[in-house]
Amino acid sequence: MDNAFFIRRCLEIAEGGRHLVGNGVLVGAVLVRDGEILEEGIHSSYGGVHAERELLQKYEQKISSKDILYTSLEPCCHQGKTPPCTDVIIERGIKNVVFGMVDPDPRMAGKGNAILREAGLQVIGPVLRAECEYFCRGFISVRTKNRPFITLKRALARDGSFANPNGSPKKITSEAQDIWAHSHLRFPADGIVCGIGTILFDDPELNTRFAQNKELQNQVLGPYRIILDPHLNLPEDAKVVSDPSRDRTIIITRPLDELSSDHQRKFLLFQDRGVRMMPCDLHGEAFDLAQLFALLITPRDGYHGLTNLLIEGGAKTWKFFRDAGVVDEEVTLLGKV
Ligand code: AOF
Ligand code: ZN
């Protein structure tokens, strides 16, 4: 078994923290002796114990000098919400570390590896760098650009249309495409973004019900549903604010004092239901993008932030993010209709 095999295993188990680490990073670590995995650890909660430390807490036996610690991310060397992983790795007598990618967090950025090397450990990596970096694309974006990684998804009919002539959404994708989109686009997203127009036409659930990874899906909360609604036109009985997952809905709207008294009442009603209301300044009809990103990525008041977004629609919402030049990735599903 080669190094790539075990780094791939780190990425596989790191998935267990999906939707649980807020604006933190998904990390997996495995301890290997003679090609056999002795123990595994993951980062599975916002501000919670890191993958390497979790692994070493679970593995209480003596470490031998030939054991290898694999981790998808360079071990941290910073006292943050938890103590540095480099400390526990050195203390426990690990002599060999293989890492997947350097930590883009400026407090680390190679320093974690350097500390381990200075302490006499053999440190190998990056191994499977491209895969690890794509896996952590949201975290890298937040740490280096102060904004989430953005994927835009759209469906296009054969005739090039994406909506009915009256602007209402048109069913374009097949069931197989829906399963693919829910598994590969929606499920990995921290937040699914939709404009108010789509909600008014379609009343979507914006969940991952077609995703194939049911086992994982049952363990986690699912992506936030993020609605851009400048005038708070969202109906009180819309699914996203009334179904059992309404505490996973974020509504971006204008500041409370700019809403009419009727709409202020609705704002407070949604808030009472557990919906997360995020007032944001507008320039004309467009939200202030820097403020919007700061609201979404910054942890506060029991909200842990996020690192990547899937923009679903409709056309106005696509245009807003495209014109701002912040779309990192665009996926078009071509319909058979
Ligand atoms: C690791 N292993 O499992 C994670 C790391 O706020 P804290 O204490 O959680 O620290 C956050 C920083 O630590 C984060 O920005 C990232 O650089 C690193 N996260 N490092 O060695 C882990 N989650
Ligand atoms: Zn750490």
Side-chain angles (χ1 to χ4, degrees):
M1 240 76 83
D2 61 354
N3 286 339
F5 174 88
F6 292 110
I7 292 293
R8 203 163 273 128
R9 177 66 190 158
C10 291
L11 293 179
E12 201 174 278
I13 58 174
E15 263 301 325
R18 179 75 65 192
H19 305 141
L20 300 171
V21 299
N23 79 344
V25 55
L26 298 171
V27 183
V30 300
L31 183 64
V32 173
R33 179 177 301 166
D34 298 328
E36 298 286 332
I37 294 181
L38 296 175
E39 191 55 271
E40 299 184 331
I42 65 168
H43 180 49
S44 61
S45 65
Y46 171 76
V49 59
H50 287 183
E52 303 91 316
R53 190 171 285 275
E54 198 224 10
L55 183 157
L56 292 169
Q57 282 170 358
K58 288 198 285 184
Y59 190 77
E60 293 173 337
Q61 294 91 312
K62 195 168 161 17
I63 307 263
S64 121
S65 62
K66 63 183 176 180
D67 294 349
I68 307 173
L69 177 73
Y70 289 87
T71 172
S72 52
L73 182 74
E74 167 191 9
C76 73
C77 56
H78 174 264
Q79 172 69 47
K81 296 177 206 69
T82 61
C85 288
T86 45
D87 284 1
V88 70
I89 291 170
I90 295 168
E91 276 161 29
R92 287 294 299 276
I94 301 242
K95 296 292 177 217
N96 309 288
V97 171
V98 178
F99 69 95
M101 62 179 267
V102 169
D103 188 339
D105 188 310
R107 297 167 299 180
M108 266 52 89
K111 287 189 218 101
N113 289 332
I115 287 173
L116 296 178
R117 287 191 178 113
E118 275 158 31
L121 280 74
Q122 185 188 51
V123 181
I124 295 175
V127 168
L128 282 192
R129 175 180 165 180
E131 273 165 79
C132 292
E133 289 187 351
Y134 188 69
F135 184 75
C136 293
R137 57 197 179 279
F139 174 70
I140 295 173
S141 179
V142 165
R143 289 299 186 278
T144 59
K145 296 188 202 161
N146 250 331
R147 67 158 175 88
F149 184 95
I150 296 188
T151 304
L152 189 149
K153 177 205 140 191
R154 63 178 188 151
L156 213 55
R158 270 193 154 172
D159 63 1
S161 68
F162 51 80
N164 291 315
N166 69 352
S168 68
K170 176 171 170 172
K171 182 61 194 159
I172 294 169
T173 49
S174 65
E175 195 187 333
Q177 285 174 312
D178 288 340
I179 291 171
W180 184 87
H182 280 222
S183 301
H184 295 277
L185 297 178
R186 278 194 177 179
F187 188 75
D190 295 331
I192 302 169
V193 178
C194 224
I196 179 63
T198 304
I199 304 284
L200 294 177
F201 269 123
D202 224 14
D203 195 18
E205 291 173 60
L206 298 180
N207 59 19
T208 58
R209 65 195 176 284
F210 293 126
Q212 280 175 322
N213 36 3
K214 292 286 173 221
E215 198 186 312
L216 261 182
Q217 219 183 337
N218 291 337
Q219 291 167 20
V220 301
L221 304 163
Y224 278 107
R225 303 169 302 179
I226 302 169
I227 318 301
L228 303 180
D229 185 7
H231 304 286
L232 202 56
N233 287 332
L234 199 78
E236 289 178 19
D237 60 354
K239 285 188 187 130
V240 290
V241 287
S242 45
D243 71 10
S245 306
R246 56 188 180 273
D247 60 344
R248 298 294 289 173
T249 298
I250 295 173
I251 297 175
I252 312 290
T253 191
R254 64 180 61 238
L256 192 59
D257 59 5
E258 292 178 22
L259 290 168
S260 70
S261 57
D262 243 22
H263 285 84
Q264 287 187 4
R265 188 197 54 75
K266 200 190 322 183
F267 183 110
L268 298 173
L269 171 81
F270 289 159
Q271 202 163 44
D272 278 353
R273 289 185 190 172
V275 175
R276 201 165 279 280
M277 305 301 291
M278 293 191 184
C280 182
D281 291 334
L282 282 148
H283 304 296
E285 277 301 290
F287 285 111
D288 181 304
L289 200 59
Q291 202 183 114
L292 174 64
F293 287 153
L295 284 168
L296 291 175
I297 67 175
T298 312
R300 64 198 177 283
D301 310 330
Y303 172 69
H304 298 149
L306 50 70
T307 69
N308 69 46
L309 295 175
L310 177 68
I311 313 294
E312 287 242 356
K316 252 168 110 174
T317 308
W318 296 334
K319 185 169 163 31
F320 174 58
F321 287 99
R322 279 190 188 134
D323 287 356
V326 293
V327 176
D328 296 295
E329 182 181 74
E330 198 164 316
V331 179
T332 303
L333 297 168
L334 296 172
K336 292 225 168 66
V337 292

